[in-house]
Amino acid sequence: MDEAACNFILDDQHEIVVPDASPIIQSLRAIGYSLETAVADIVDNSLDARANQIKIEMVWNEDKSYIRIEDNGWGMSEQELVLAMKLGSKDPLENRGSKELGRFGMGLKTASFSLGQRLTVLTKKQGEIFVRCWDLEVVKATNEWKLKKSAYEDSLSVLSTIEGLSGTVVLIEKLDRVVQVPYTVQKKNKFYRQIHLLEKHIQMVFHRFMEGLNRVHMVLNGNSIKSWDPFYSKLQYTHEMGSENLMINGKLITIEGFILPHHSKMTKEKYIEAAGPNGWYDQQGFYIYRNRRLLTIGSWLSMFPKEESTKLARIRVDIGQDADFDWQIDVKKSVAKPPQDSLDILKRWAEQARDISQKVYYHRGVPRNRSRGTKESSTVDFLWSQTTRNQKPFFIVHQHNPLLEKIRENVSTDVQEMLNCYIQMLQEFCPINTLVYAPTNVNKEIVEPTENERHEIRKLLKVFHQMNMTTSAIVNSLKSMPSLAKYSEEILKAIILEDQS
């Protein structure tokens, strides 16, 4: 804290005014969550705790209806639990971990209070169990921040316990914002429709966490949730526009464009599935992700109107947690507004995607040399694709070459990993890439790898370790790659040690 701030704090011309508890909490209840965004905000906490099993229950029982979310994450100590139950438990201006989904220290409380009047959290860490509970009726009656140190008797059977060594249960009861009296058949049916909407929302918002080798298994009312990828990049006729990496205000943004196939190129079942929760028309546009978590769903960001002929265009934008304020991320993590410096680039991508979508929509496809492999394609077509890296051209191996896809289908997972490692090295040492990204052209200000680069490095390390390479040999191999030559040996060694731990 600087000297001026200290002097201000010690100034006897000021007094401390503590907000009344009840009005504050009642105001926070109206922050604008839907049931789906509220539950998703709570799931973020489970992912931050590195859980790979998340169970969601949404149960109708009139005035005893409840929502319960359990994970097998790290769990919390008693002190950590009390802090987590405190409103504003984190300063949003503080630095966050590169993979952290939280920002404001409000999500657990505001999301829960938007649904019901009682929030009970049971957590287990290293075998020790702790419980805390907010009851808004108590807060209203006393107008004080009274946090209960145990669960209510009528909550215990639903709260249950945690079988593993660690984990957390979030229980929301008295769902006055979800279930209102009188309890009619229509309201019961609405409750079950909300369960269906919640499933669709989770499928979409967290689809990247539910895919890949380290996938997170999510369950809703006993049924596994299947991920829903808005871009359908694995469909044969999906058109990939490539990707572009750029730095805006010193933060990395990655943009990738996809044009989904004309309905005549899809089965009826696949066409219905690809429409998504909101339907073909409303799913078009930009999808903004923060640390792989979807924030904004299908929007042209006020640049263009949605049109029938542009409904096949979907553009993925990846930002990191360090760009929260640049993109004006809200507490609910459901709104993102791009910074001014990015608008021209995003508009260019939107114009290109909309133009290609219209061609596909009216002509049932794009020219053969712009689409993915078709039955008429030869195996030598689409060996290379051009994308951009740091606003420079970069050539990559075309991942959907028919022969390459056939090879992947017929080899084991271990061989696939080695093949992917070879392809990555092949891209790095492509003669054109080597010339463009020679060390003399490196931006000397870049001192730390981006999260995407760290992910790619870790994939290489997995294969290098299988080859019994020494740390020194691994560092030399990484340093020889043009895109990684800008990083010091110390940084690369630190990543290797982090990967081994």
Side-chain angles (χ1 to χ4, degrees):
M1 186 178 297
D2 60 32
E3 184 178 349
C6 288
N7 292 336
F8 180 80
I9 290 173
L10 297 175
D11 188 347
D12 60 4
Q13 298 301 309
H14 299 84
E15 60 184 355
I16 304 298
V17 179
V18 180
D20 289 340
S22 183
I24 288 292
I25 284 187
Q26 294 304 321
S27 298
L28 291 175
R29 300 195 76 193
I31 204 168
Y33 281 100
S34 65
L35 183 142
E36 304 93 75
T37 57
V39 173
D41 210 348
I42 297 170
V43 169
D44 287 341
N45 295 322
S46 297
L47 294 172
D48 279 344
R50 298 296 183 267
N52 58 19
Q53 299 278 344
I54 302 173
K55 299 176 182 178
I56 305 168
E57 293 179 74
M58 186 171 166
V59 176
W60 168 269
N61 190 15
E62 296 186 346
D63 62 324
K64 293 182 176 58
S65 300
Y66 64 86
I67 296 173
R68 182 182 187 273
I69 302 167
E70 178 181 351
D71 68 57
N72 67 342
W74 291 333
M76 293 176 280
S77 65
E78 187 170 25
Q79 182 179 0
E80 289 169 333
L81 173 59
V82 172
L83 183 62
M85 297 293 275
K86 177 182 176 181
L87 273 76
S89 57
K90 294 181 180 179
D91 184 346
L93 299 179
E94 291 181 355
N95 291 330
R96 296 286 186 266
S98 60
K99 295 182 179 180
E100 195 169 343
L101 298 177
R103 165 61 65 182
F104 297 95
M106 299 285 285
L108 170 63
K109 287 76 66 175
T110 54
S112 299
F113 296 157
S114 73
L115 302 174
Q117 296 191 64
R118 183 188 291 176
L119 165 64
T120 308
V121 178
L122 178 149
T123 190
K124 186 176 184 181
K125 186 171 186 177
Q126 297 177 344
E128 290 191 90
I129 295 177
F130 307 101
V131 178
R132 288 295 186 275
C133 173
W134 280 116
D135 190 324
L136 300 194
E137 291 184 349
V138 172
V139 175
K140 182 179 179 180
T142 63
N143 199 23
E144 292 181 340
W145 303 97
K146 288 192 173 181
L147 181 64
K148 197 172 189 296
K149 295 182 178 180
S150 61
Y152 284 90
E153 190 72 27
D154 59 343
S155 299
L156 292 176
S157 61
V158 177
L159 194 63
S160 189
T161 188
I162 297 168
E163 294 182 2
L165 291 176
S166 64
T168 299
V169 175
V170 174
L171 177 63
I172 309 166
E173 301 171 287
K174 300 183 179 178
L175 302 179
D176 60 325
R177 298 297 177 92
V178 182
V179 180
Q180 294 91 23
V181 293
Y183 306 114
T184 63
V185 174
Q186 289 81 3
K187 290 180 180 178
K188 181 178 181 180
N189 291 337
K190 179 183 176 182
F191 185 89
Y192 285 115
R193 285 196 300 271
Q194 286 182 295
I195 296 175
H196 177 72
L197 293 176
L198 174 60
E199 179 182 13
K200 294 296 183 184
H201 189 76
I202 296 294
Q203 284 180 325
M204 181 166 49
V205 170
F206 299 106
H207 75 92
R208 294 168 79 176
F209 292 89
M210 294 186 279
E211 300 164 351
L213 295 176
N214 298 316
R215 65 175 61 93
V216 177
H217 185 217
M218 298 192 187
V219 175
L220 175 59
N221 287 2
N223 299 313
S224 295
I225 301 176
K226 179 183 177 183
S227 66
W228 182 80
D229 176 7
F231 311 105
Y232 280 80
S233 56
K234 295 181 180 180
L235 280 182
Q236 182 179 12
Y237 291 96
T238 294
H239 173 72
E240 299 180 18
M241 297 173 60
S243 63
E244 180 175 0
N245 294 328
L246 58 144
M247 300 295 288
I248 300 293
N249 298 332
K251 289 103 177 179
L252 178 69
I253 298 175
T254 301
I255 308 173
E256 297 178 85
F258 302 84
I259 310 299
L260 274 65
H262 188 274
H263 68 82
S264 65
K265 306 289 186 180
M266 306 169 69
T267 65
K268 181 180 179 181
E269 292 75 15
K270 190 62 67 175
Y271 181 79
I272 293 173
E273 178 187 303
N278 301 328
W280 278 98
Y281 186 85
D282 285 328
Q283 295 282 174
Q284 65 182 283
F286 288 101
Y287 290 70
I288 299 173
Y289 292 79
R290 174 185 177 273
N291 287 350
R292 299 192 301 144
R293 195 261 203 210
L294 183 56
L295 302 177
T296 299
I297 302 167
S299 166
W300 289 117
L301 304 176
S302 301
M303 297 177 182
F304 301 98
K306 291 184 176 181
E307 300 177 32
E308 182 67 17
S309 61
T310 59
K311 68 180 184 181
L312 304 178
R314 298 175 184 176
I315 302 173
R316 182 166 67 205
V317 180
D318 277 296
I319 66 173
Q321 55 80 31
D322 58 348
D324 284 355
F325 294 106
D326 291 346
W327 286 74
Q328 301 179 52
I329 308 300
D330 71 339
V331 173
K332 306 187 300 295
K333 295 193 279 289
S334 61
V335 175
K337 298 178 181 178
Q340 189 68 32
D341 292 347
S342 70
L343 292 179
D344 287 343
I345 298 169
L346 294 173
K347 186 175 182 180
R348 167 169 54 81
W349 273 87
E351 288 173 338
Q352 293 175 355
R354 288 165 61 88
D355 180 61
I356 299 173
S357 176
Q358 289 171 341
K359 290 177 181 177
V360 174
Y361 181 83
Y362 289 116
H363 304 291
R364 299 194 175 192
V366 293
R368 180 173 172 270
N369 63 348
R370 295 294 304 275
S371 64
R372 295 181 49 190
T374 64
K375 291 182 179 179
E376 295 79 17
S377 302
S378 71
T379 56
V380 296
D381 283 339
F382 318 117
L383 290 176
W384 295 92
S385 296
Q386 182 177 341
T387 180
T388 57
R389 178 186 283 181
N390 298 330
Q391 302 184 45
K392 298 177 183 178
F394 188 80
F395 287 85
I396 61 175
V397 174
H398 192 79
Q399 295 293 324
H400 300 290
N401 176 276
L403 180 57
L404 181 57
E405 290 187 330
K406 194 69 176 178
I407 293 173
R408 284 199 171 107
E409 290 173 1
N410 288 277
V411 298
S412 65
T413 301
D414 289 342
V415 174
Q416 285 187 34
E417 291 176 353
M418 288 189 284
L419 177 63
N420 291 336
C421 178
Y422 178 79
I423 289 173
Q424 186 173 346
M425 296 178 70
L426 187 65
Q427 293 171 170
E428 292 287 343
F429 295 106
C430 170
I432 293 179
N433 293 339
T434 304
L435 290 173
V436 172
Y437 292 89
T440 54
N441 294 334
V442 167
N443 181 355
K444 298 298 184 182
E445 295 182 359
I446 300 177
V447 294
E448 286 286 345
T450 65
E451 186 58 35
N452 285 340
E453 286 176 321
R454 286 177 178 272
H455 179 67
E456 295 303 318
I457 291 172
R458 284 192 285 267
K459 289 197 295 186
L460 290 171
L461 292 179
K462 187 171 184 179
V463 176
F464 288 163
H465 291 319
Q466 290 176 352
M467 297 168 64
N468 295 319
M469 293 174 62
T470 63
T471 299
S472 177
I474 293 174
V475 170
N476 290 335
S477 297
L478 296 175
K479 284 286 290 182
S480 67
M481 297 182 184
S483 65
L484 301 179
K486 56 185 174 240
Y487 301 122
S488 66
E489 291 187 9
E490 289 73 20
I491 288 176
L492 296 175
K493 285 181 180 177
I495 296 174
I496 294 170
L497 290 174
E498 179 184 310
D499 182 70
Q500 292 174 336
S501 62

